Amino acid sequence: MPKSPRSNHRAWAAAWAVLCVTGLAATAQLNASSAPDPQPKKPVSAECSDYIADIERQVAQAKQAGESDGILAFSRSHAASGDDCDEELRNHFGGDR
């Protein structure tokens, strides 16, 4: 005796639901497993630390002088000293962007 059309639709709906749930579970597992491991923080060199402190001092002086329009300019003469602090500066002042 052939199956009724109603039970045939139920079987397809059940198979579709199982496939959807399986796909969602697999996607969740892949997303959880592919999360990057947090990188350990590299120590900042003493020269870069001094340079960052100097910049913060200049920013504080500008705020005290009432020059808080949000724009400060710095020369790149520090890079000639041999220690490149670009990454440290980016992490300290704008790493959360």
Side-chain angles (χ1 to χ4, degrees), residues 21-92:
V21 169
T22 304
L24 288 173
T27 301
Q29 179 139 6
L30 285 172
N31 285 341
S33 68
S34 66
D37 293 333
Q39 297 293 327
K41 286 196 169 197
K42 297 178 188 176
V44 178
S45 71
E47 187 175 316
C48 288
S49 181
D50 291 342
Y51 188 51
I52 289 170
D54 184 47
I55 292 173
E56 287 180 339
R57 181 186 51 78
Q58 291 179 32
V59 169
Q61 285 177 346
K63 283 184 181 179
Q64 281 184 339
E67 301 169 9
S68 59
D69 60 356
I71 299 173
L72 287 174
F74 297 96
S75 69
R76 298 286 295 171
S77 63
H78 181 270
S81 65
D83 193 4
D84 187 15
C85 299
D86 286 347
E87 187 175 334
E88 287 85 356
L89 288 169
R90 195 173 299 114
N91 289 340
H92 185 79

Side-chain angles (χ1 to χ4, degrees), residues 1-8:
M1 184 162 136
K3 292 185 178 182
S4 69
R6 178 172 275 196
S7 66
N8 195 18

